[in-house]
């Protein structure tokens, strides 16, 4: 994952300072929409995903998706 420059970090800070994520009515807010995506892992699995993510330059979500697809195709 690439690091942000100071300018990019300042722009992102300004964006979220002026437009903070909010919970909307009837589950339409940012946090309500992403609630189903929160997954808790044991320490071993989290360390594996972090290491694999750094080694392959992929996100943890991409790695999990690949593992699931591989499991489904082999079943």
């Amino acid at each position: 994952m690439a690091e942000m420059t100071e300018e990019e970090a300042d722009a992102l800070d300004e964006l979220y300072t002026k437009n903070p994520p909010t919970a909307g009515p009837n589950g339409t807010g940012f946090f309500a929409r992403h609630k189903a995506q929160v997954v808790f892992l044991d320490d071993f699995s989290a360390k594996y995903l972090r290491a694999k993510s750094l080694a392959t330059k992929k996100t943890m979500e991409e790695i999990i998706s690949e593992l699931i697809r591989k499991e489904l195709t082999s079943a």
Side-chain angles (χ1 to χ4, degrees):
M1 187 179 299
E3 293 185 27
M4 283 191 276
T5 63
E6 285 293 320
E7 293 81 20
E8 291 171 327
D10 290 340
L12 194 60
D13 177 55
E14 186 175 333
L15 172 69
Y16 283 111
T17 299
K18 290 181 179 178
N19 306 296
T22 58
N26 302 322
T28 59
F30 175 84
F31 296 109
R33 289 192 316 266
H34 292 87
K35 180 178 75 172
Q37 295 179 358
V38 175
V39 177
F40 295 99
L41 302 171
D42 60 90
D43 194 46
F44 177 79
S45 298
K47 286 180 181 178
Y48 172 82
L49 284 172
R50 276 190 222 104
K52 187 83 167 174
S53 177
L54 290 172
T56 60
K57 306 263 191 289
K58 294 180 181 178
T59 65
M60 292 183 196
E61 292 83 1
E62 290 172 320
I63 295 167
I64 292 170
S65 291
E66 289 174 0
L67 289 170
I68 291 170
R69 282 182 176 77
K70 185 177 178 181
E71 177 72 21
L72 290 174
T73 57
S74 67

